[in-house]
Amino acid sequence: MSAAVVPPVGARIRQARLERGMSLRALAREVGVSASLVSQIETGKSQPSVSTLYAITTVLGISVESLFDARASSPMAGVNPPGVNPTGTVLPALAAFAADPGRRIGPLVAAGERETLELDSGVVWERLGRVPGADVDFLLVTYRPGGSSSGSGGLMRHTGTEYGYLTSGELILTLGFDEYTVRPGDAVSFESTTPHRYRNDGEVPAVGVWFVSGDVQ
């Protein structure tokens, strides 16, 4: 699949931050990075890692897809910030994964044809399908040993609802003030607005099937 042309991601992050009345330092504090790095990302001088971008969209309450949707409005549409090639892409793997939500994936997705996104926090997402008009992500998720859903180690929250079923390995789910050990055959379901984090403290990968409804980030 060819990579989509990506609009100025940093400008869209800045727009979302300002719309929420959040200062640059406040966003950096919530994400767990320096204010200098956030500034460089917003001006296009630095490209964020996938986990940092995931954390930013989580804090801002926006979907990753919205940053890569060429149809979305932006006060700087057509303006390329420093370091961004007007004909190139930023994080092409993520741009490909955040494909046009109107595009059908399936009805059959063979094992070797899945769209895959590897996060630098030790997590791999494999998209199992998408039906246009259904606001649901259908994913095979792998947490490598030491992997966590949050690169910064903090809890995250976003809109939507999560349903998960673990097929192998073991995960620690922190949900609000509670902590659960999820083992093969166990299932989880909760509102994603509840602060949460998954981590794999074991020595083997933890693998499961996840459905995430609402704005996926």
Side-chain angles (χ1 to χ4, degrees):
M1 180 178 58
S2 60
V5 175
V6 179
V9 171
R12 292 191 173 187
I13 290 173
R14 182 176 186 276
Q15 179 186 12
R17 175 176 63 78
L18 293 177
E19 287 175 350
R20 284 152 183 77
M22 179 177 287
S23 70
L24 190 147
R25 290 186 179 278
L27 175 59
R29 183 170 57 252
E30 290 291 326
V31 174
V33 298
S34 69
S36 174
L37 177 59
V38 174
S39 176
Q40 290 175 6
I41 290 171
E42 289 189 349
T43 57
K45 295 177 181 178
S46 177
Q47 295 184 9
S49 67
V50 172
S51 62
T52 297
L53 190 58
Y54 184 98
I56 288 173
T57 55
T58 296
V59 171
L60 293 177
I62 60 177
S63 68
V64 170
E65 285 91 340
S66 69
L67 297 178
F68 295 94
D69 186 354
R71 297 167 301 177
S73 61
S74 169
M76 295 183 63
V79 179
N80 295 289
V84 177
N85 186 324
T87 60
T89 61
V90 177
L91 298 177
L94 186 54
F97 197 79
D100 181 355
R103 179 172 64 88
R104 174 181 291 277
I105 299 175
L108 173 65
V109 178
E113 298 176 353
R114 300 173 190 150
E115 294 180 347
T116 300
L117 176 61
E118 296 192 21
L119 309 183
D120 60 7
S121 59
V123 184
V124 180
W125 293 344
E126 296 179 66
R127 177 167 279 159
L128 300 177
R130 177 190 286 278
V131 177
D135 196 10
V136 178
D137 250 7
F138 178 27
L139 306 169
L140 180 68
V141 183
T142 300
Y143 286 82
R144 292 172 175 152
S148 171
S149 59
S150 171
S152 66
L155 303 185
M156 62 183 64
R157 58 184 177 181
H158 50 89
T159 59
T161 307
E162 297 190 22
Y163 302 87
Y165 175 80
L166 199 66
T167 59
S168 63
E170 188 172 290
L171 281 177
I172 303 299
L173 167 63
T174 301
L175 187 62
F177 293 104
D178 299 317
E179 191 168 274
Y180 304 89
T181 300
V182 186
R183 299 183 174 90
D186 291 348
V188 299
S189 57
F190 56 89
E191 294 295 328
S192 303
T193 51
T194 305
H196 60 281
R197 179 188 64 219
Y198 300 98
R199 73 176 191 271
N200 181 2
D201 290 343
E203 298 180 352
V204 298
V207 183
V209 175
W210 254 251
F211 290 86
V212 184
S213 65
D215 291 334
V216 181
Q217 304 167 353

